[in-house]
Amino acid sequence: MKASIAARLAQLADRLEEVTHLLASETATQDMEAFRKLTREHAELTPVVETFAAYRQCEGDIAAAEEMLADPEMKEFAQAEIAEGKDKLEALDLELQKLLLPKDPNDDKNIFLEIRAGTGGDEAALFAADLLRMYTRYAERNRWQVEIVSASESDLGGYKEVIVRLIGQGAYSRLKFESGGHRVQRVPATETQGRIHTSACTVAVMAEADEIAEVVLNPADLRIDTFRASGAGGQHINKTDSAVRITHIPTGIVAECQDGRSQHANKASAMQVLAARIYDIQLREKNQKEAAERKSLIGSGDRSERIRTYNYPQGRITDHRINLTLYKLDYVMDGDLQELTDALIAEQQAELLAALGD
């Protein structure tokens, strides 16, 4: 391990001890915002310091085994201990490097997930509904809360466009690589000849913006229109102008919501989506610049890029960015995204580690 990394880890161990002491003090909860920050810092530091302690312990075990080499009766045992210890030390070293990688400040945020039907008409809209179910089931597996923000349904029960808010720890970190073009190859229910059709949807994953800290929305830059909501909803929706559309004049970005029970609720939801969209544009510009420098599109969030193909006849799902093919389409469509998300996160970590080495 490099001396600079060891020194950094020693500093973090000291800081964890300090934070633990502060949290245990009688005045810790007098300032709840400061208390929450300390609690979060404690949670982030603990795995790093514990892994560093395991690393130091492993170093000590190897040193003790090396001392036993002088004893002929213990030599074989000592050699096995040293070999095993060095393998463990290497694994711990890699784990520590990963833990020290710069943390994406948005990783713990809630997200807005936007799915739009693309080429393929009704079949694309049905695929949008399938993707929504996939992400909803994944959210359930992670015990995240799911809220429909707005939805434009198609005639056959799919979605022309749907926006949902996923609320839960780490939602952005797990799903941030889902932005892009999703292509499906299958025989549509409406196809009488049994021919395979190709349709597509685009997915956008947007970190929920802290409106105060990250996006400043000047009221003078906003045009707010109210209109009568369309679609299902009964008498209330049909008789009141409860739907809200907000346009950010400088950028032309539009957000609308009509699923809430009141104009006030719809306006609040539309403002959240608008802030997330503006924040997302800022993030994508930053990420695309970094991705160009790394010669990689992992994490660029380029929505024009085809990132994944879902092939139903072969039961195959392929992520084109990392050349990963899995023959478990049914499981994935039922929300089992763990293998895919783990592989994408591992790829980004490998890129960051390589950049760190350079």
Side-chain angles (χ1 to χ4, degrees):
M1 180 184 291
K2 291 179 182 176
S4 58
I5 293 178
R8 172 71 177 140
L9 288 164
Q11 285 177 351
L12 294 178
D14 290 342
R15 175 59 183 164
L16 179 60
E17 195 174 326
E18 184 185 351
V19 170
T20 303
H21 178 71
L22 289 169
L23 286 171
S25 71
E26 293 179 2
T27 58
T29 55
Q30 286 181 357
D31 183 343
M32 286 308 296
E33 183 59 31
F35 180 74
R36 277 191 288 270
K37 285 181 180 177
L38 284 171
T39 304
R40 193 158 51 241
E41 187 180 0
H42 190 278
E44 289 172 0
L45 286 173
T46 299
V48 183
V49 174
E50 286 179 349
T51 306
F52 184 45
Y55 183 91
R56 298 299 290 269
Q57 178 65 47
C58 189
E59 282 184 322
D61 293 343
I62 292 170
E66 285 174 342
E67 288 179 7
M68 288 191 286
L69 286 172
D71 185 344
E73 293 182 5
M74 299 295 291
K75 187 175 181 180
E76 191 175 333
F77 171 76
Q79 286 173 334
E81 286 289 296
I82 291 167
E84 186 181 329
K86 285 183 176 177
D87 287 344
K88 185 179 177 182
L89 200 67
E90 192 175 325
L92 286 168
D93 189 23
L94 181 61
E95 183 62 25
L96 281 167
Q97 287 184 56
K98 288 181 181 177
L99 288 168
L100 287 174
L101 287 174
K103 194 174 185 293
D104 187 329
N106 294 311
D107 274 353
D108 291 333
K109 289 187 176 178
N110 303 327
I111 61 171
F112 287 100
L113 182 74
E114 179 184 277
I115 305 169
R116 288 175 181 264
T119 54
D122 285 334
E123 169 61 11
L126 290 171
F127 180 49
D130 291 335
L131 288 176
L132 175 63
R133 180 182 181 276
M134 177 182 81
Y135 291 124
T136 301
R137 294 283 289 120
Y138 182 65
E140 289 168 359
R141 288 167 186 258
N142 286 281
R143 293 181 172 82
W144 299 337
Q145 187 180 337
V146 181
E147 290 180 358
I148 297 277
V149 176
S150 71
S152 173
E153 296 180 15
S154 69
D155 295 335
L156 296 180
Y159 291 102
K160 297 174 187 174
E161 176 189 309
V162 59
I163 301 173
V164 294
R165 182 175 177 233
L166 301 185
I167 306 156
Q169 185 73 18
Y172 186 77
S173 69
R174 300 301 304 177
L175 291 177
K176 61 184 173 184
F177 301 123
E178 292 301 300
S179 290
H182 295 243
R183 184 177 69 166
V184 62
Q185 295 171 325
R186 64 184 177 188
V187 179
T190 54
E191 169 60 58
T192 55
Q193 304 293 321
R195 292 172 298 189
I196 295 171
H197 287 229
T198 299
S199 305
C201 289
T202 58
V203 172
V205 176
M206 300 172 287
E208 187 174 49
D210 178 341
E211 292 174 41
I212 298 169
E214 289 144 348
V215 178
V216 178
L217 294 175
N218 185 344
D221 291 338
L222 304 178
R223 185 175 73 244
I224 300 174
D225 301 305
T226 58
F227 58 98
R228 193 156 297 179
S230 59
Q235 291 181 328
H236 168 80
I237 284 215
N238 293 327
K239 289 187 177 179
T240 62
D241 290 343
S242 61
V244 175
R245 180 185 298 114
I246 304 175
T247 305
H248 186 245
I249 297 165
T251 60
I253 295 171
V254 178
E256 66 178 55
C257 185
Q258 56 177 304
D259 281 38
R261 295 291 294 170
S262 70
Q263 189 181 110
H264 178 74
N266 283 328
K267 182 182 176 183
S269 292
M271 283 290 281
Q272 282 186 310
V273 173
L274 184 69
R277 282 184 172 154
I278 293 170
Y279 184 50
D280 183 55
I281 287 173
Q282 294 169 355
L283 277 181
R284 281 192 288 134
E285 287 173 353
K286 175 176 172 284
N287 289 342
Q288 282 168 349
K289 182 184 176 186
E290 290 174 359
E293 290 168 1
R294 293 197 310 265
K295 302 293 187 290
S296 163
L297 277 167
I298 291 288
S300 74
D302 184 352
R303 296 184 205 167
S304 64
E305 177 201 11
R306 188 189 76 202
I307 64 167
R308 196 173 293 151
T309 295
Y310 304 73
N311 185 299
Y312 275 73
Q314 296 177 18
R316 167 174 60 82
I317 183 165
T318 301
D319 196 292
H320 304 289
R321 297 164 296 179
I322 54 175
N323 295 320
L324 174 67
T325 296
L326 302 173
Y327 287 90
K328 51 186 290 186
L329 182 62
D330 289 347
Y331 293 99
V332 170
M333 297 312 292
D334 193 43
D336 185 3
L337 292 171
Q338 197 69 26
E339 193 170 348
L340 272 170
T341 55
D342 284 349
L344 288 160
I345 290 168
E347 178 71 17
Q348 190 201 33
Q349 286 180 337
E351 287 179 359
L352 292 170
L353 286 168
L356 208 63
D358 294 341

